[in-house]
Each structure stands twice: as structure tokens, then as C-alpha cells.
Amino acid sequence: MTSISTVYDPIHRRLVDDDSSDEEKRIWCIVSYSSELHNFNQFIHMFHFFIPFLMNITSSLIIIILSMKASRKIHKDLSIYQILREEIEQHRHLLVSPFILVILSFPRMIISFVGGCMQSNRSPWIYLIGYLTSFVPPMLTFVVFVLPSNLYKEEFRKTMTYYRQAIRKRMCNTQR
């Protein structure tokens, strides 16, 4: 879905050779959008920013509500607010993670709206840092979602143990 929603972008980019200076040969990547496409581009950036956040929050709330209903059947002596508080405490990581991802994605959102041209290759590091910042949230998915959750950590440990044993077994079979 993400690829399909941004397929227009490479179509509207073009490379231009800049031969104006003998000492610096540059190739510029120029984006030319119509005003409607520019508005659509901004909408797509906002869509890709907010929809995953809303989906994460919604799924977290659904998990908490379903857990609360199941706990309510077991603990009939507790009030619904006590059960809700316990479920929120138990699943706090599910509520915190989407907000952390939004905070980490915010620099990418700013860069997508405040795009500019690099005037000199003396300061390309500013644009490079901005570009690399957009990769931080996907790289931190493990840290944000798996490490705070006891259930996910345990599943990760089981999976890693299984793969280690499978690799060792395969290596022992190939050495024979």
C-alpha cells in the first residue's frame, strides 16, 4: 500500500546536469509537482504518519478492553476501574510504543514539509542527517515493542533458542 500510494513520486522527478561551474559538476534531482499533486503529496505524508499511529493505539485499546472483559469474568470481586487500571499497567508498553514511534518519526515529517535545495556541497551533512533520521523509527521497532513486553521478550528468546539449535543441528549434519 505504501509503495502504491507513492508511485507518483519517481515519475515526477528528473535529473539535471549542472555544468555552470568548471570546478563543481553537479547532478540535481528536481521534483516538479502541480499544485494538486503537491497537496496530494502532503496528504500522503500525513497519512503515512498518522494512520499507523492510530492503528497502533486502536489495537492497543482493543487488547486492553478484551483483556479487561476476560479479567472481569475471573475477578468478579474487583471493580471495573481496578481491573482497567491493572490491565493498563500490564499493557502499558502497548500504549507507550505508538507515542515513542510518533516522536521518532516527527523529524521525518518536518523534513517532508520543509524540503529545500542544498545550495552548496559544503553542508551536505545537514541533509544527510535529515535523511538518515527517517530510518530511526524502523530500526528501533525491536527496542520499542519487544523489549518492554515480557511476553514478546519471552517469545523472542524462544525463537532465538529454536534457531540456534536448528543452526547447530544443521552444522553438525553437514560436518559429518
Side-chain angles (χ1 to χ4, degrees):
M1 293 293 289
T2 303
S3 299
I4 290 170
S5 68
T6 58
V7 73
Y8 64 90
D9 190 60
I11 296 170
H12 289 85
R13 290 187 184 267
R14 58 190 173 97
L15 296 176
V16 176
D17 290 324
D18 183 9
D19 296 330
S20 62
S21 172
D22 289 336
E23 55 196 54
E24 294 181 8
K25 301 279 185 193
R26 294 187 187 171
I27 298 176
W28 296 85
C29 180
I30 298 176
V31 179
S32 53
Y33 293 143
S34 64
S35 62
E36 293 87 16
L37 196 55
H38 179 70
N39 291 339
F40 179 73
N41 185 47
Q42 289 182 333
F43 168 77
I44 288 296
H45 282 293
M46 290 184 65
F47 183 84
H48 288 203
F49 184 75
F50 287 111
I51 294 301
F53 169 73
L54 292 174
M55 289 172 67
N56 282 328
I57 286 293
T58 304
S59 62
S60 300
L61 292 175
I62 289 171
I63 289 170
I64 289 172
I65 290 169
L66 293 176
S67 296
M68 185 182 76
K69 286 182 179 181
S71 293
R72 181 80 174 132
K73 290 178 183 176
I74 296 170
H75 303 289
K76 294 182 183 194
D77 57 324
L78 297 176
S79 73
I80 195 163
Y81 297 109
Q82 289 173 321
I83 294 172
L84 178 61
R85 195 173 0 171
E86 287 177 14
E87 292 300 326
I88 288 174
E89 183 64 31
Q90 183 179 1
H91 299 291
R92 181 182 47 209
H93 64 280
L94 294 177
L95 294 172
V96 172
S97 299
F99 289 101
I100 292 172
L101 289 176
V102 162
I103 291 168
L104 292 172
S105 297
F106 199 69
R108 180 182 56 88
M109 184 69 165
I110 292 171
I111 290 169
S112 71
F113 284 111
V114 188
C117 293
M118 189 170 53
Q119 298 299 324
S120 167
N121 40 343
R122 287 185 215 115
S123 62
W125 59 271
I126 294 172
Y127 288 91
L128 182 62
I129 289 171
Y131 176 73
L132 293 176
T133 301
S134 68
F135 293 105
V136 171
M139 291 187 311
L140 291 179
T141 300
F142 181 79
V143 174
V144 171
F145 286 106
V146 176
L147 292 182
S149 168
N150 292 331
L151 177 67
Y152 291 159
K153 268 196 291 195
E154 186 58 34
E155 284 300 317
F156 176 72
R157 284 187 192 117
K158 288 178 187 176
T159 304
M160 292 307 294
T161 302
Y162 170 78
Y163 282 119
R164 270 191 231 123
Q165 290 173 350
I167 290 170
R168 286 182 188 148
K169 184 177 179 181
R170 185 171 290 232
M171 291 180 76
C172 288
N173 288 341
T174 57
Q175 289 177 355
R176 290 181 186 181

